[in-house]
Coordinates of all heavy atoms in Angstrom, one line a residue:
M1 N 94.2 -32.6 47.5 CA 93.5 -32.5 46.3 C 92.0 -32.2 46.5 O 91.5 -31.4 45.7 CB 93.7 -33.9 45.6 CG 93.0 -34.0 44.2 SD 94.0 -33.1 43.1 CE 93.2 -33.5 41.6
E2 N 91.4 -32.8 47.5 CA 90.0 -32.5 47.7 C 89.8 -31.1 48.3 O 88.8 -30.5 48.0 CB 89.5 -33.6 48.7 CG 89.3 -35.0 48.2 CD 88.8 -36.0 49.2 OE1 88.1 -35.5 50.1 OE2 89.0 -37.2 49.0
V3 N 90.8 -30.6 49.0 CA 90.7 -29.2 49.5 C 90.7 -28.3 48.4 O 89.8 -27.3 48.3 CB 91.8 -29.0 50.5 CG1 91.8 -27.5 50.9 CG2 91.8 -29.9 51.7
R4 N 91.5 -28.5 47.4 CA 91.6 -27.6 46.2 C 90.3 -27.7 45.4 O 89.8 -26.6 45.0 CB 92.8 -28.0 45.4 CG 93.0 -27.2 44.1 CD 93.3 -25.7 44.5 NE 93.5 -25.0 43.3 CZ 93.3 -23.7 43.2 NH1 92.9 -23.0 44.2 NH2 93.5 -23.1 42.0
Y5 N 89.8 -28.9 45.3 CA 88.5 -29.0 44.5 C 87.4 -28.3 45.3 O 86.6 -27.6 44.6 CB 88.2 -30.5 44.4 CG 86.9 -30.8 43.6 CD1 86.9 -30.6 42.2 CD2 85.7 -31.2 44.2 CE1 85.8 -30.8 41.5 CE2 84.6 -31.4 43.5 CZ 84.6 -31.2 42.1 OH 83.5 -31.4 41.4
A6 N 87.3 -28.4 46.6 CA 86.3 -27.7 47.4 C 86.5 -26.2 47.2 O 85.5 -25.4 47.1 CB 86.4 -28.1 48.8
E7 N 87.7 -25.7 47.2 CA 88.0 -24.2 47.0 C 87.5 -23.8 45.6 O 86.9 -22.7 45.5 CB 89.4 -23.9 47.2 CG 90.0 -24.0 48.6 CD 91.5 -23.8 48.6 OE1 92.1 -23.8 47.6 OE2 92.0 -23.7 49.8
L8 N 87.7 -24.6 44.6 CA 87.3 -24.2 43.3 C 85.8 -24.2 43.2 O 85.2 -23.4 42.5 CB 87.9 -25.2 42.2 CG 89.4 -25.1 42.0 CD1 89.9 -26.2 41.1 CD2 89.7 -23.7 41.4
M9 N 85.1 -25.2 43.8 CA 83.7 -25.2 43.8 C 83.1 -24.0 44.5 O 82.1 -23.4 44.1 CB 83.2 -26.5 44.4 CG 83.5 -27.7 43.7 SD 82.8 -27.7 42.0 CE 81.1 -27.8 42.3
E10 N 83.7 -23.6 45.6 CA 83.3 -22.4 46.4 C 83.5 -21.2 45.5 O 82.6 -20.3 45.5 CB 84.0 -22.3 47.7 CG 83.6 -21.1 48.5 CD 84.3 -21.1 49.9 OE1 85.1 -22.0 50.2 OE2 84.2 -20.0 50.5
L11 N 84.6 -21.1 44.8 CA 84.9 -19.9 44.0 C 83.8 -19.8 42.9 O 83.3 -18.8 42.5 CB 86.3 -20.0 43.4 CG 86.7 -18.9 42.5 CD1 86.7 -17.6 43.2 CD2 88.1 -19.2 41.9
Q12 N 83.5 -21.0 42.3 CA 82.5 -21.0 41.2 C 81.1 -20.5 41.7 O 80.4 -19.8 41.1 CB 82.4 -22.4 40.6 CG 81.4 -22.4 39.4 CD 81.9 -21.5 38.3 OE1 83.1 -21.4 38.0 NE2 81.0 -20.9 37.6
E13 N 80.8 -20.9 42.9 CA 79.5 -20.5 43.5 C 79.5 -19.0 43.8 O 78.5 -18.3 43.5 CB 79.3 -21.2 44.9 CG 78.9 -22.6 44.7 CD 78.8 -23.3 46.1 OE1 78.7 -22.6 47.1 OE2 78.7 -24.6 46.1
I14 N 80.6 -18.4 44.2 CA 80.8 -17.0 44.4 C 80.6 -16.2 43.1 O 79.9 -15.2 43.0 CB 82.1 -16.6 45.1 CG1 82.1 -17.1 46.5 CG2 82.3 -15.1 45.1 CD1 83.4 -17.1 47.2
R15 N 81.2 -16.8 42.0 CA 81.1 -16.2 40.7 C 79.7 -16.2 40.2 O 79.2 -15.2 39.6 CB 82.0 -16.9 39.7 CG 83.4 -16.6 39.8 CD 84.2 -17.4 38.8 NE 85.7 -17.1 38.9 CZ 86.6 -18.0 38.5 NH1 86.3 -19.1 38.0 NH2 87.9 -17.6 38.7
D16 N 79.0 -17.3 40.4 CA 77.6 -17.4 40.0 C 76.7 -16.4 40.7 O 75.8 -15.8 40.2 CB 77.0 -18.8 40.2 CG 77.7 -19.9 39.3 OD1 78.2 -19.5 38.2 OD2 77.6 -21.1 39.6
Q17 N 77.0 -16.2 42.0 CA 76.2 -15.3 42.8 C 76.5 -13.9 42.3 O 75.5 -13.0 42.2 CB 76.6 -15.4 44.3 CG 76.0 -16.6 45.0 CD 76.6 -16.8 46.4 OE1 77.4 -16.0 46.8 NE2 76.1 -17.8 47.1
A18 N 77.7 -13.6 42.0 CA 78.1 -12.2 41.5 C 77.4 -12.0 40.1 O 76.9 -10.9 39.9 CB 79.6 -12.1 41.4
F19 N 77.4 -13.0 39.3 CA 76.7 -12.9 38.0 C 75.2 -12.6 38.1 O 74.7 -11.8 37.4 CB 77.0 -14.1 37.1 CG 76.5 -14.1 35.7 CD1 77.1 -13.3 34.8 CD2 75.3 -14.7 35.4 CE1 76.7 -13.2 33.5 CE2 74.8 -14.7 34.1 CZ 75.5 -13.9 33.1
Q20 N 74.6 -13.3 39.0 CA 73.2 -13.1 39.2 C 72.9 -11.7 39.8 O 71.9 -11.1 39.4 CB 72.6 -14.2 40.2 CG 72.6 -15.6 39.6 CD 72.2 -16.7 40.6 OE1 72.1 -16.4 41.8 NE2 72.1 -17.9 40.1
A21 N 73.7 -11.3 40.7 CA 73.5 -9.9 41.2 C 73.7 -8.9 40.1 O 73.0 -7.9 40.1 CB 74.5 -9.7 42.4
M22 N 74.7 -9.1 39.2 CA 74.9 -8.2 38.1 C 73.7 -8.1 37.2 O 73.3 -7.1 36.8 CB 76.2 -8.6 37.3 CG 76.5 -7.7 36.2 SD 77.8 -8.3 35.1 CE 77.1 -9.7 34.4
E23 N 73.2 -9.3 36.9 CA 72.0 -9.3 36.0 C 70.8 -8.6 36.6 O 70.1 -7.9 36.0 CB 71.6 -10.8 35.7 CG 72.5 -11.4 34.6 CD 72.0 -12.8 34.3 OE1 71.5 -13.5 35.2 OE2 72.2 -13.2 33.1
K24 N 70.6 -8.8 37.9 CA 69.6 -8.1 38.7 C 69.7 -6.6 38.6 O 68.8 -5.9 38.3 CB 69.5 -8.6 40.1 CG 68.4 -8.1 40.9 CD 68.5 -8.6 42.3 CE 67.5 -7.9 43.2 NZ 67.6 -8.4 44.6
D25 N 71.0 -6.1 38.8 CA 71.2 -4.7 38.8 C 71.0 -4.2 37.4 O 70.4 -3.1 37.2 CB 72.7 -4.4 39.2 CG 72.9 -4.6 40.7 OD1 71.9 -4.7 41.4 OD2 74.1 -4.7 41.1
Q26 N 71.4 -4.9 36.3 CA 71.2 -4.4 35.0 C 69.8 -4.4 34.6 O 69.3 -3.4 33.9 CB 72.0 -5.3 34.0 CG 73.5 -5.1 34.0 CD 74.2 -6.0 33.0 OE1 73.7 -7.0 32.6 NE2 75.4 -5.7 32.7
A27 N 69.0 -5.3 35.1 CA 67.5 -5.3 34.8 C 66.9 -4.1 35.5 O 66.0 -3.4 34.9 CB 66.9 -6.6 35.3
L28 N 67.3 -3.7 36.7 CA 66.8 -2.6 37.4 C 67.2 -1.3 36.6 O 66.3 -0.4 36.5 CB 67.3 -2.5 38.8 CG 66.8 -1.4 39.7 CD1 65.3 -1.4 39.9 CD2 67.5 -1.4 41.0
I29 N 68.4 -1.2 36.2 CA 68.8 0.0 35.4 C 68.0 0.1 34.1 O 67.6 1.2 33.8 CB 70.3 -0.1 35.1 CG1 71.1 0.1 36.4 CG2 70.8 1.0 34.1 CD1 72.6 -0.3 36.3
K30 N 67.8 -1.0 33.4 CA 67.0 -1.0 32.2 C 65.6 -0.5 32.5 O 65.0 0.3 31.8 CB 67.0 -2.3 31.5 CG 66.3 -2.3 30.2 CD 66.2 -3.7 29.6 CE 65.5 -3.8 28.3 NZ 64.5 -2.9 27.9
K31 N 65.0 -1.0 33.5 CA 63.6 -0.7 33.9 C 63.5 0.8 34.2 O 62.6 1.5 33.7 CB 63.2 -1.5 35.1 CG 61.8 -1.2 35.6 CD 61.4 -2.1 36.8 CE 60.1 -1.8 37.3 NZ 59.8 -2.5 38.5
T32 N 64.5 1.4 34.9 CA 64.5 2.8 35.2 C 64.7 3.6 33.9 O 64.0 4.6 33.7 CB 65.6 3.1 36.2 OG1 65.5 2.3 37.4 CG2 65.6 4.6 36.6
F33 N 65.6 3.2 33.1 CA 65.8 3.9 31.8 C 64.6 3.9 30.9 O 64.1 4.9 30.4 CB 67.0 3.3 31.1 CG 67.2 4.0 29.7 CD1 67.8 5.2 29.6 CD2 66.7 3.4 28.6 CE1 68.0 5.8 28.4 CE2 66.9 4.0 27.3 CZ 67.6 5.2 27.2
D34 N 64.0 2.7 30.8 CA 62.8 2.5 29.9 C 61.6 3.4 30.4 O 60.8 3.8 29.7 CB 62.4 1.1 29.8 CG 63.4 0.3 29.0 OD1 64.2 0.9 28.3 OD2 63.3 -1.0 29.0
K35 N 61.5 3.6 31.7 CA 60.5 4.4 32.3 C 60.6 5.8 31.9 O 59.6 6.5 31.6 CB 60.5 4.3 33.8 CG 59.3 4.7 34.5 CD 59.4 4.7 36.1 CE 59.8 3.4 36.6 NZ 59.8 3.3 38.1
K36 N 61.8 6.3 31.7 CA 62.0 7.7 31.4 C 62.1 7.9 29.9 O 62.0 9.0 29.4 CB 63.3 8.2 32.0 CG 63.2 8.3 33.6 CD 64.5 8.8 34.1 CE 64.4 8.8 35.7 NZ 65.7 9.3 36.2
A37 N 62.5 6.9 29.1 CA 62.7 7.0 27.7 C 61.4 7.3 27.0 O 60.3 6.8 27.4 CB 63.3 5.8 27.1
K38 N 61.5 8.1 25.9 CA 60.3 8.5 25.2 C 60.4 8.0 23.7 O 61.5 8.2 23.2 CB 60.0 10.0 25.2 CG 59.8 10.5 26.6 CD 59.7 12.0 26.6 CE 59.5 12.5 28.0 NZ 59.6 14.0 28.0
D39 N 59.4 7.5 23.2 CA 59.4 7.1 21.7 C 59.3 8.4 21.0 O 58.5 9.3 21.3 CB 58.3 6.2 21.4 CG 58.5 4.8 21.9 OD1 59.6 4.4 22.1 OD2 57.5 4.1 22.1
R40 N 60.1 8.5 19.9 CA 60.1 9.7 19.1 C 59.8 9.3 17.6 O 60.4 8.3 17.2 CB 61.4 10.5 19.2 CG 61.6 11.0 20.6 CD 62.8 11.8 20.7 NE 62.9 12.2 22.1 CZ 63.8 13.0 22.5 NH1 64.7 13.5 21.8 NH2 63.9 13.3 23.8
S41 N 58.9 10.0 17.0 CA 58.7 9.7 15.6 C 58.8 11.0 14.9 O 58.2 12.0 15.3 CB 57.3 9.0 15.4 OG 56.3 9.9 15.9
F42 N 59.5 11.0 13.8 CA 59.7 12.2 13.0 C 58.9 12.1 11.7 O 58.8 11.0 11.1 CB 61.2 12.4 12.6 CG 62.1 12.6 13.9 CD1 63.0 11.6 14.3 CD2 62.0 13.8 14.6 CE1 63.8 11.8 15.4 CE2 62.8 14.0 15.7 CZ 63.7 13.0 16.1
Q43 N 58.3 13.2 11.4 CA 57.5 13.3 10.2 C 58.2 14.1 9.1 O 59.1 14.9 9.4 CB 56.1 13.9 10.5 CG 55.3 13.2 11.6 CD 55.0 11.8 11.3 OE1 54.7 11.4 10.2 NE2 55.1 10.9 12.3
I44 N 57.8 14.0 7.9 CA 58.3 14.8 6.8 C 58.0 16.3 7.1 O 56.9 16.6 7.5 CB 57.8 14.4 5.4 CG1 58.2 13.0 5.1 CG2 58.2 15.4 4.4 CD1 57.7 12.4 3.9
G45 N 59.1 17.1 7.1 CA 58.9 18.5 7.4 C 59.4 18.9 8.7 O 59.5 20.1 9.0
D46 N 59.6 17.9 9.6 CA 60.1 18.2 11.0 C 61.6 18.8 10.9 O 62.3 18.3 10.0 CB 60.1 17.0 11.8 CG 58.7 16.6 12.3 OD1 57.8 17.4 12.1 OD2 58.6 15.5 12.8
L47 N 61.9 19.7 11.8 CA 63.3 20.2 11.9 C 64.0 19.4 12.9 O 63.5 19.2 14.0 CB 63.3 21.7 12.2 CG 62.7 22.6 11.2 CD1 62.7 24.0 11.7 CD2 63.6 22.5 9.9
V48 N 65.2 18.9 12.6 CA 65.9 18.0 13.5 C 67.4 18.5 13.6 O 67.9 19.2 12.7 CB 65.9 16.6 13.1 CG1 64.5 16.0 13.2 CG2 66.5 16.4 11.7
L49 N 68.1 18.1 14.6 CA 69.5 18.4 14.7 C 70.3 17.1 14.4 O 69.8 16.0 14.8 CB 69.9 18.9 16.1 CG 69.3 20.2 16.5 CD1 69.7 20.5 18.0 CD2 69.9 21.3 15.6
K50 N 71.4 17.2 13.8 CA 72.2 16.0 13.4 C 73.4 15.9 14.3 O 74.1 16.8 14.6 CB 72.6 16.1 12.0 CG 73.4 14.9 11.5 CD 73.8 15.2 10.0 CE 74.9 14.2 9.6 NZ 75.5 14.6 8.4
W51 N 73.6 14.7 14.9 CA 74.7 14.4 15.8 C 76.0 14.3 15.0 O 76.0 13.5 14.0 CB 74.5 13.1 16.5 CG 75.6 12.6 17.4 CD1 76.5 11.7 17.1 CD2 75.9 13.1 18.7 NE1 77.4 11.5 18.2 CE2 77.0 12.4 19.2 CE3 75.4 14.1 19.5 CZ2 77.6 12.6 20.4 CZ3 75.9 14.3 20.8 CH2 77.0 13.5 21.2
D52 N 77.0 15.1 15.3 CA 78.3 15.0 14.6 C 79.2 14.1 15.3 O 79.9 14.4 16.2 CB 78.9 16.4 14.5 CG 80.0 16.5 13.5 OD1 80.4 15.5 13.0 OD2 80.5 17.7 13.3
A53 N 79.2 12.8 14.8 CA 80.0 11.8 15.5 C 81.5 12.0 15.5 O 82.2 11.7 16.5 CB 79.7 10.4 14.9
D54 N 82.0 12.6 14.5 CA 83.5 12.9 14.4 C 83.9 13.9 15.5 O 84.9 13.8 16.2 CB 83.9 13.4 13.1 CG 83.9 12.4 12.0 OD1 84.0 11.2 12.4 OD2 83.7 12.7 10.8
R55 N 83.0 14.9 15.7 CA 83.4 16.0 16.7 C 83.1 15.5 18.1 O 83.6 16.0 19.1 CB 82.6 17.2 16.5 CG 83.0 18.0 15.3 CD 82.3 19.3 15.1 NE 82.3 20.1 16.3 CZ 83.2 21.1 16.5 NH1 84.2 21.3 15.7 NH2 83.2 21.8 17.6
A56 N 82.3 14.4 18.3 CA 81.9 13.9 19.6 C 83.1 13.1 20.2 O 83.1 12.8 21.4 CB 80.7 13.1 19.5
K57 N 84.0 12.7 19.4 CA 85.2 11.9 19.9 C 86.0 12.7 20.9 O 86.2 13.9 20.7 CB 86.0 11.4 18.8 CG 85.3 10.4 17.9 CD 86.2 10.0 16.7 CE 85.4 9.0 15.8 NZ 86.1 8.7 14.6
P58 N 86.5 12.1 21.9 CA 87.4 12.9 22.9 C 88.6 13.6 22.2 O 89.2 13.0 21.3 CB 87.9 11.8 23.8 CG 86.8 10.7 23.7 CD 86.3 10.8 22.3
G59 N 88.8 14.8 22.5 CA 89.9 15.5 22.0 C 89.6 16.3 20.7 O 90.4 17.1 20.2
R60 N 88.4 16.1 20.2 CA 88.0 16.8 18.9 C 87.2 18.0 19.2 O 86.9 18.8 18.3 CB 87.1 15.8 18.1 CG 87.8 14.6 17.6 CD 88.6 14.9 16.4 NE 89.3 13.7 15.9 CZ 89.0 13.0 14.9 NH1 87.9 13.3 14.2 NH2 89.7 11.9 14.5
H61 N 86.8 18.2 20.4 CA 86.0 19.4 20.8 C 86.3 19.8 22.2 O 86.8 19.0 23.0 CB 84.5 19.2 20.6 CG 83.9 18.1 21.5 ND1 83.5 18.4 22.8 CD2 83.8 16.8 21.4 CE1 83.1 17.3 23.4 NE2 83.3 16.3 22.5
S62 N 86.0 21.1 22.5 CA 86.2 21.6 23.9 C 84.9 21.5 24.6 O 83.9 21.1 24.0 CB 86.8 23.0 23.9 OG 85.8 23.9 23.3
K63 N 84.9 21.8 25.8 CA 83.7 21.7 26.6 C 82.4 22.3 26.1 O 81.3 21.8 26.2 CB 84.0 22.2 28.1 CG 82.9 21.9 29.1 CD 83.4 22.3 30.4 CE 82.4 22.0 31.5 NZ 82.9 22.4 32.8
F64 N 82.6 23.5 25.5 CA 81.4 24.3 25.1 C 81.2 24.3 23.6 O 80.3 25.0 23.1 CB 81.5 25.7 25.7 CG 81.6 25.8 27.2 CD1 82.7 26.1 27.9 CD2 80.4 25.5 27.9 CE1 82.7 26.1 29.2 CE2 80.4 25.6 29.3 CZ 81.6 25.9 29.9
D65 N 82.0 23.5 22.9 CA 81.7 23.4 21.4 C 80.5 22.7 21.1 O 80.1 21.7 21.9 CB 82.9 22.8 20.7 CG 84.1 23.7 20.6 OD1 83.9 24.9 20.8 OD2 85.2 23.1 20.3
A66 N 79.8 23.0 20.1 CA 78.6 22.3 19.7 C 79.0 21.0 19.0 O 79.8 21.0 18.1 CB 77.7 23.2 18.7
I67 N 78.3 19.9 19.3 CA 78.6 18.7 18.7 C 77.3 18.2 17.9 O 77.2 17.1 17.5 CB 79.0 17.6 19.6 CG1 78.1 17.5 20.8 CG2 80.5 17.8 20.1 CD1 78.5 16.4 21.8
W68 N 76.4 19.2 17.7 CA 75.2 19.0 16.9 C 75.3 19.9 15.7 O 75.8 21.1 15.9 CB 74.0 19.3 17.7 CG 73.7 18.3 18.8 CD1 74.2 18.4 20.1 CD2 73.0 17.1 18.8 NE1 73.8 17.4 20.9 CE2 73.1 16.5 20.1 CE3 72.3 16.4 17.8 CZ2 72.5 15.3 20.4 CZ3 71.7 15.2 18.1 CH2 71.8 14.7 19.4
S69 N 74.8 19.6 14.6 CA 74.7 20.5 13.5 C 73.3 20.6 13.0 O 72.5 19.6 13.2 CB 75.7 20.0 12.3 OG 75.3 18.8 11.9
G70 N 73.0 21.6 12.4 CA 71.6 21.8 11.9 C 71.0 23.1 12.2 O 71.8 24.0 12.6
P71 N 69.8 23.3 12.1 CA 68.7 22.3 11.9 C 68.6 21.9 10.5 O 68.9 22.6 9.5 CB 67.5 23.0 12.4 CG 67.7 24.4 12.1 CD 69.2 24.7 12.3
Y72 N 68.2 20.6 10.3 CA 67.9 20.0 9.0 C 66.4 19.7 9.0 O 65.8 19.5 10.0 CB 68.7 18.8 8.8 CG 70.2 19.0 8.7 CD1 71.0 18.8 9.8 CD2 70.7 19.3 7.5 CE1 72.4 19.0 9.7 CE2 72.1 19.5 7.4 CZ 72.9 19.4 8.5 OH 74.3 19.6 8.4
M73 N 65.9 19.6 7.8 CA 64.5 19.3 7.6 C 64.4 17.8 7.1 O 65.1 17.4 6.2 CB 63.8 20.2 6.6 CG 62.3 19.9 6.4 SD 61.5 21.0 5.3 CE 61.6 22.5 6.1
V74 N 63.5 17.0 7.7 CA 63.3 15.7 7.2 C 62.5 15.7 5.9 O 61.4 16.3 5.9 CB 62.5 14.9 8.3 CG1 62.2 13.5 7.8 CG2 63.3 14.8 9.6
T75 N 63.1 15.1 4.9 CA 62.5 15.1 3.6 C 61.9 13.7 3.2 O 61.0 13.6 2.4 CB 63.5 15.6 2.5 OG1 64.6 14.7 2.5 CG2 63.9 17.0 2.7
K76 N 62.5 12.7 3.8 CA 62.0 11.3 3.5 C 62.3 10.4 4.7 O 63.4 10.5 5.3 CB 62.7 10.8 2.3 CG 62.2 9.5 1.8 CD 62.9 9.1 0.5 CE 62.4 7.8 -0.1 NZ 63.1 7.4 -1.3
C77 N 61.3 9.6 5.1 CA 61.5 8.6 6.1 C 61.7 7.2 5.4 O 60.9 6.7 4.8 CB 60.2 8.5 7.0 SG 59.9 10.1 7.8
K78 N 62.9 6.7 5.6 CA 63.3 5.4 5.0 C 62.9 4.2 5.8 O 62.3 3.3 5.3 CB 64.8 5.4 4.7 CG 65.2 6.5 3.7 CD 66.6 6.3 3.4 CE 67.0 7.4 2.3 NZ 68.3 7.3 1.8
N79 N 63.1 4.2 7.1 CA 62.6 3.2 8.0 C 62.6 3.8 9.4 O 62.6 5.0 9.6 CB 63.4 1.9 7.9 CG 64.9 2.1 8.3 OD1 65.2 3.0 9.0 ND2 65.7 1.2 7.8
N80 N 62.5 2.9 10.4 CA 62.3 3.4 11.8 C 63.4 4.5 12.2 O 63.0 5.5 12.8 CB 62.4 2.3 12.8 CG 61.1 1.4 12.7 OD1 60.2 1.8 12.1 ND2 61.2 0.3 13.4
N81 N 64.6 4.3 11.9 CA 65.7 5.2 12.4 C 66.5 5.7 11.2 O 67.7 6.2 11.5 CB 66.6 4.5 13.4 CG 65.8 4.2 14.6 OD1 65.0 5.0 15.1 ND2 66.1 3.0 15.2
A82 N 66.0 5.8 10.0 CA 66.8 6.3 8.9 C 65.9 7.4 8.2 O 64.8 7.1 7.8 CB 67.2 5.2 7.9
F83 N 66.5 8.5 8.0 CA 65.8 9.7 7.4 C 66.7 10.4 6.4 O 67.9 10.4 6.5 CB 65.4 10.7 8.5 CG 64.6 10.1 9.6 CD1 65.3 9.7 10.8 CD2 63.3 9.8 9.5 CE1 64.6 9.1 11.8 CE2 62.6 9.3 10.5 CZ 63.2 8.9 11.7
Q84 N 66.1 10.9 5.4 CA 66.8 11.8 4.5 C 66.6 13.2 4.9 O 65.5 13.6 5.1 CB 66.3 11.6 3.0 CG 67.1 12.3 2.0 CD 66.7 11.9 0.6 OE1 65.9 11.0 0.4 NE2 67.2 12.6 -0.4
L85 N 67.7 13.9 5.0 CA 67.7 15.3 5.5 C 68.1 16.3 4.4 O 68.8 16.0 3.5 CB 68.7 15.5 6.7 CG 68.5 14.5 7.9 CD1 69.6 14.8 8.9 CD2 67.1 14.7 8.5
A86 N 67.5 17.5 4.5 CA 67.9 18.5 3.6 C 68.3 19.8 4.4 O 67.8 20.0 5.4 CB 66.7 18.9 2.7

């Protein structure tokens, strides 16, 4: 009984170590991504491309098909990530 309990405790320690290593790796990946990411702000009158989510699904397009549509003009900024396009 005690041997099994010791094995379970050791297994839990291994899981905790793996979880900590995963969190460390994810933090590093986020730091690298954030370093390269750029803030974008669109103004009224800017020309933008619209992502076509239906065509982006696997099997809906071939390798060289366009999955963007546009260009569209921004006519109204509703909030940080919502725009009215024309």
Side-chain angles (χ1 to χ4, degrees):
M1 182 75 170
E2 290 181 21
V3 174
R4 180 67 178 149
Y5 183 72
E7 288 175 351
L8 291 173
M9 293 301 292
E10 183 179 349
L11 181 61
Q12 186 61 39
E13 288 177 13
I14 292 170
R15 286 180 179 155
D16 291 341
Q17 290 173 354
F19 184 75
Q20 290 173 355
M22 181 188 66
E23 283 184 328
K24 182 180 174 184
D25 289 344
Q26 286 180 343
L28 181 62
I29 290 169
K30 181 182 180 340
K31 182 180 175 184
T32 304
F33 175 81
D34 288 346
K35 195 184 303 183
K36 294 179 181 179
K38 298 176 184 174
D39 287 335
R40 298 186 181 180
S41 59
F42 298 109
Q43 306 297 323
I44 295 175
D46 287 350
L47 294 176
V48 296
L49 295 175
K50 181 181 165 192
W51 176 259
D52 190 355
D54 289 334
R55 289 183 54 91
K57 293 177 184 174
R60 298 276 179 102
H61 63 89
S62 66
K63 185 174 183 177
F64 297 108
D65 284 345
I67 51 179
W68 295 90
S69 61
Y72 293 97
M73 184 178 293
V74 176
T75 57
K76 185 176 182 182
C77 299
K78 296 186 178 186
N79 61 24
N80 286 350
N81 291 323
F83 306 96
Q84 186 173 353
L85 303 177

